[in-house]
C-alpha cells in the first residue's frame, strides 16, 4: 500500500520505521519528514492540505496517518475525507478535545468523567473569585488553545495564579490561545499516558506509558515536549485499566457521538493516578512524542493494519497483539533545549559491534537535517535512543548504551528515564 505520514518528528519516524519492517511491503511518503525519514521512504513538502489531498489521490495513497495535533485541529482529516481518501485521525470538530481545553473540560464534566475541579472563563474577575475560593495551593492555570505544550502554569500561590490568569487573558502570554482560561485544582499523584486507538465506536487500548516532561533528572527544571518514555509501566494494573475504560474511554466515545463528533484516531489520555483513582488531566488527539517511539516497536500487530482498521471502522475485527517486552526511549536533545535553539551540529553514530545491543535497540530521528551526506542536529529534541528487553532495567541499559554511541556537540539527555518503575 502507498502510505502518507504527516509530520516531521521522532513520532512520525517511529511510525514509518515500524511500517517499513512489516511483512507486507509498503511505499511510505512523509510530509514533510526530516533529514532521516528519507531513508525509510521519501519526503515531500506540500503545505496546503487541499493540494496535499490532490497529491494523495494522484499517487494512490491508500492510507494517511497524521502525527501532530495542528493539522488535525486545522481539519486535514475533513479535507481528505471529502476527497474520498482513507485517513486516520479525528475531524476538526473532534480534535477540539485537544484544540480547546475549555471544550475538553466541558465534555469531561458533561459526561461525568473524573477530572480536577475547575472553572473556565474569559473573565478575570470570575477567575480571581474562583482562585480566592480555593482552599489549597498549588493552583493550575491553563490557556485554552494550543501553546506547543507551554500553556500550563502550576502556580504556587494565589497571587501567582492571578498573575498567570492576567497574563493569559490580556493576550500577553499566549496571544489568542489565552483568550479563555481554565483554572483548576492541583492533583497530586503519578502521571500515566494511556492511548486508545478509536474508530468512532470501537477502541483498542495500548500498554500504558510514562513520559518525563521536565528537562532535568528527578523531574527538575522547565517542561519540555518530553525527555524520554517507557512502557509498559508497572504503575498501572488491571483495576486502573478497567476504570479508565469504563469511566473514561466508553463515556467519551458515547459522548462524542452525541456531540455529532464521533472520535476516530488516537485518544491520548493524560491520567493522574491519585489514591488508585485515575483522574483525567487532559486529552490529546494524537500519539504522544516520545511515547509513540516505544509503543510502535512494541506492537506485534502490524501498525498499518491497526491504523487502517481505525480509519475504516473495523477495530472490532482486530485482535491486538503486543510483544512481551519493555521499551525505554531516551531523548538526546540540543544544548540549549528547551530555552532556545542551538547551532547545527554534525551527528556521528559509532558502529555497534555488540550483536545483542544491535538487535535490541535503534535510533528514532527527530530534529535532524541532511546536508549532503552529513546528518545535522538542528532541532531541540534531536533523536531518541530506544532500547528493548525482557525487563525495564535491561531495556534502559540498552537505551543508554546506545546513547553512548551517539555524538553531537552540546548533546544532552536525562540519565534517569523510567526511574519511577525502578525505584
Ligand atoms: P496538560 O497540558 O494539561 O497535560 O498539562 C501539562 C502538565 O502539567 C501535565 O502533564 C501535568 O504534569 C501538569 N498538570 C496539568 N494539570 C494538572 C493538575 N490539575 N494537577 C497537577 N498537575 C497538572
Ligand atoms: N509526550 C507528551 C506529548 O506528546 O504531548
Amino acid at each position: 500500500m502507498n502510505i502518507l505520514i504527516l509530520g516531521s518528528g521522532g513520532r512520525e519516524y517511529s511510525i514509518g520505521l515500524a511500517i517499513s519492517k512489516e511483512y507486507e511491503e509498503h511505499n511510505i511518503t512523509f510530509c514533510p519528514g526530516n533529514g532521516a525519514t528519507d531513508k525509510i521512504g521519501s519526503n515531500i513538502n506540500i503545505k496546503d492540505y487541499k493540494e496535499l489531498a490532490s497529491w494523495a489521490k494522484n499517487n494512490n495513497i491508500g492510507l494517511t496517518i497524521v502525527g501532530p495535533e495542528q493539522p488535525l485541529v486545522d481539519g486535514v482529516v475533513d479535507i481528505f475525507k471529502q476527497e474520498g481518501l482513507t485517513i486516520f485521525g479525528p475531524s476538526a470538530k473532534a480534535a477540539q478535545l485537544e484544540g480547546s481545553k475549555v471544550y475538553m473540560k466541558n465534555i469531561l464534566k458533561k459526561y461525568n468523567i473524573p477530572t480536577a475541579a475547575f472553572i473556565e472563563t474569559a473573565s478575570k474577575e470570575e477567575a480571581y473569585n474562583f482562585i480566592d475560593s480555593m482552599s489549597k495551593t498549588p493552583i493550575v492555570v491553563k490557556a485554552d488553545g494550543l501553546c506547543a505544550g507551554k500553556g500550563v502554569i502550576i502556580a504556587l500561590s494565589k497571587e501567582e495564579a492571578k498573575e498567570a490568569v492576567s497574563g493569559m487573558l490580556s493576550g500577553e502570554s499566549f496571544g489568542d490561545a489565552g483568550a479563555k482560561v481554565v483554572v483548576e485544582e492541583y492533583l497530586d499523584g503519578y502521571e500515566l499516558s494511556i492511548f486508545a486507538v478509536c474508530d468512532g465506536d470501537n477502541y483498542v487500548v495500548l500498554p500504558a506509558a510514562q513520559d518525563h516532561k521536565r528537562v532535568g533528572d528527578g523531574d527538575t527544571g522547565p517542561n519540555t515536549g518530553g525527555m524520554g518514555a517507557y512502557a509498559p509501566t508497572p504503575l498501572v494494573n488491571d483495576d486502573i485499566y478497567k476504570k479508565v475504560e469504563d469511566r473514561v474511554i466508553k463515556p467519551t466515545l458515547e459522548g462524542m457521538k452525541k456531540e455529532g463528533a464521533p472520535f476516530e484516531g488516537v485518544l491520548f489520555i493524560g491520567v493522574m493516578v491519585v489514591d488508585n483513582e485515575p483522574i483525567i488531566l487532559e486529552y490529546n488527539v494524537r500519539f504522544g512524542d516520545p511515547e509513540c517511539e516505544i509503543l510502535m516497536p512494541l506492537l506485534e500487530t502490524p501498525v498499518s493494519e491497526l491504523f487502517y482498521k481505525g480509519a475504516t471502522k473495523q477495530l472490532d475485527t482486530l485482535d491486538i497483539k503486543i510483544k512481551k517486552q519493555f521499551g525505554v526511549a531516551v531523548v538526546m536533545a540540543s544544548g540549549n533545549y528547551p530555552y532556545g535553539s542551538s547551532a547545527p551540529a554534525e551527528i556521528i553514530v559509532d558502529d555497534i559491534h555488540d550483536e545483542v545491543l544491535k538487535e535490541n535497540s535503534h535510533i528514532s530521528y527527530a530534529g535532524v537535517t541532511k546536508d549532503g551526506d552529513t546528518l545535522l542536529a538542528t532541532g531541540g529534541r534531536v533523536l531518541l535512543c530506544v532500547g528493548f528487553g525482557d525487563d525495564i532495567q535491561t531495556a534502559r541499559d540498552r537505551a543508554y548504551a546506545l546513547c553512548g554511541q551517539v555524538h553531537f556537540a552540546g548533546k544532552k539527555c536525562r540519565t534517569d528515564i523510567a526511574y519511577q518503575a525502578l525505584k
Side-chain angles (χ1 to χ4, degrees):
M1 196 195 301
N2 294 332
I3 296 176
L4 174 63
I5 301 175
L6 265 59
S8 63
R11 170 179 49 206
E12 292 74 25
Y13 183 97
S14 73
I15 294 171
L17 185 68
I19 291 175
S20 73
K21 291 181 177 171
E22 289 173 7
Y23 177 66
E24 189 192 340
E25 252 187 55
H26 301 288
N27 260 319
I28 306 172
T29 306
F30 294 87
C31 179
N34 62 40
T37 49
D38 60 350
K39 274 201 209 138
I40 298 173
S42 46
N43 291 347
I44 57 165
N45 197 351
I46 301 175
K47 293 194 175 72
D48 182 81
Y49 299 136
K50 285 197 176 129
E51 216 179 294
L52 187 60
S54 307
W55 180 91
K57 267 182 111 165
N58 293 336
N59 287 275
N60 288 323
I61 295 293
L63 173 65
T64 299
I65 300 162
V66 189
E69 60 277 17
Q70 192 71 56
L72 296 167
V73 171
D74 291 344
V76 72
V77 169
D78 309 75
I79 291 169
F80 270 55
K81 283 191 174 169
Q82 272 160 20
E83 294 295 326
L85 289 155
T86 301
I87 181 165
F88 177 65
S91 64
K93 201 168 172 200
Q96 282 305 300
L97 281 180
E98 175 164 3
S100 164
K101 290 197 191 295
V102 167
Y103 179 85
M104 180 255 306
K105 289 292 286 192
N106 284 330
I107 290 284
L108 294 177
K109 188 164 138 189
K110 185 166 172 187
Y111 296 100
N112 284 318
I113 298 163
T115 190
F118 74 103
I119 185 178
E120 52 95 348
T121 179
S123 145
K124 194 153 109 175
E125 200 188 341
E126 236 176 50
Y128 281 18
N129 287 342
F130 184 74
I131 290 169
D132 283 330
S133 76
M134 291 175 89
S135 58
K136 276 195 278 184
T137 51
I139 293 167
V140 185
V141 182
K142 301 181 176 184
D144 177 42
L146 291 180
C147 301
K150 298 190 180 76
V152 175
I153 308 283
I154 314 270
L156 297 179
S157 65
K158 291 189 173 181
E159 291 66 43
E160 209 186 303
K162 288 180 183 173
E163 270 170 40
V165 165
S166 165
M168 287 181 194
L169 290 181
S170 69
E172 226 168 87
S173 308
F174 303 108
D176 288 348
K180 277 189 174 179
V181 294
V182 169
V183 180
E184 67 181 25
E185 64 172 339
Y186 178 80
L187 300 172
D188 197 5
Y190 60 87
E191 253 181 281
L192 301 174
S193 303
I194 297 184
F195 299 90
V197 178
C198 306
D199 70 4
D201 291 310
N202 311 288
Y203 63 89
V204 167
V205 183
L206 302 183
Q210 267 200 311
D211 186 12
H212 299 66
K213 290 209 166 88
R214 304 294 196 93
V215 74
D217 283 358
D219 296 327
T220 53
N223 261 335
T224 68
M227 292 299 288
Y230 72 96
T233 170
L235 299 175
V236 70
N237 54 34
D238 289 347
D239 180 48
I240 292 177
Y241 276 123
K242 183 156 179 7
K243 283 176 179 163
V244 169
E245 287 195 36
D246 292 346
R247 298 181 189 171
V248 183
I249 301 173
K250 286 176 189 167
T252 299
L253 290 185
E254 281 309 309
M256 291 305 282
K257 277 199 281 189
K258 286 190 193 138
E259 300 294 318
F263 191 85
E264 298 172 23
V266 179
L267 185 66
F268 170 170
I269 309 164
V271 177
M272 188 73 89
V273 181
V274 184
D275 298 329
N276 271 317
E277 297 299 322
I279 319 278
I280 303 318
L281 285 175
E282 64 159 353
Y283 282 147
N284 295 309
V285 297
R286 38 119 191 136
F287 270 114
D289 188 349
E291 292 94 328
C292 189
E293 285 91 321
I294 38 168
L295 291 173
M296 291 301 104
L298 285 176
L299 285 173
E300 210 168 289
T301 300
V303 167
S304 63
E305 185 186 342
L306 175 64
F307 293 156
Y308 188 81
K309 289 199 160 166
T312 53
K313 293 202 180 296
Q314 297 184 72
L315 282 180
D316 53 332
T317 66
L318 184 83
D319 180 19
I320 185 98
K321 294 213 164 55
I322 312 287
K323 293 178 191 161
K324 291 199 169 30
Q325 271 199 318
F326 293 86
V328 174
V330 178
V331 170
M332 302 197 72
S334 292
N336 295 328
Y337 184 70
Y339 306 99
S341 56
S342 307
E346 182 176 358
I347 300 170
I348 294 172
V349 181
D350 297 336
D351 284 339
I352 295 165
H353 301 290
D354 179 336
E355 286 302 320
V356 178
L357 178 61
K358 213 179 196 168
E359 268 169 37
N360 291 285
S361 68
H362 66 249
I363 294 176
S364 231
Y365 287 97
V368 299
T369 312
K370 203 167 258 172
D371 180 15
D373 286 337
T374 308
L375 197 59
L376 296 175
T378 45
R381 292 189 291 174
V382 175
L383 57 86
L384 296 91
C385 291
V386 194
F388 300 93
D390 293 337
D391 53 65
I392 294 173
Q393 184 67 53
T394 308
R396 179 208 231 191
D397 290 346
R398 288 177 181 151
Y400 279 111
L402 185 57
C403 287
Q405 308 292 100
V406 175
H407 314 278
F408 56 90
K411 68 171 181 176
K412 69 174 178 201
C413 63
R414 275 181 65 159
T415 65
D416 64 347
I417 300 305
Y419 77 94
Q420 290 194 60
L422 295 169
K423 263 194 258 196

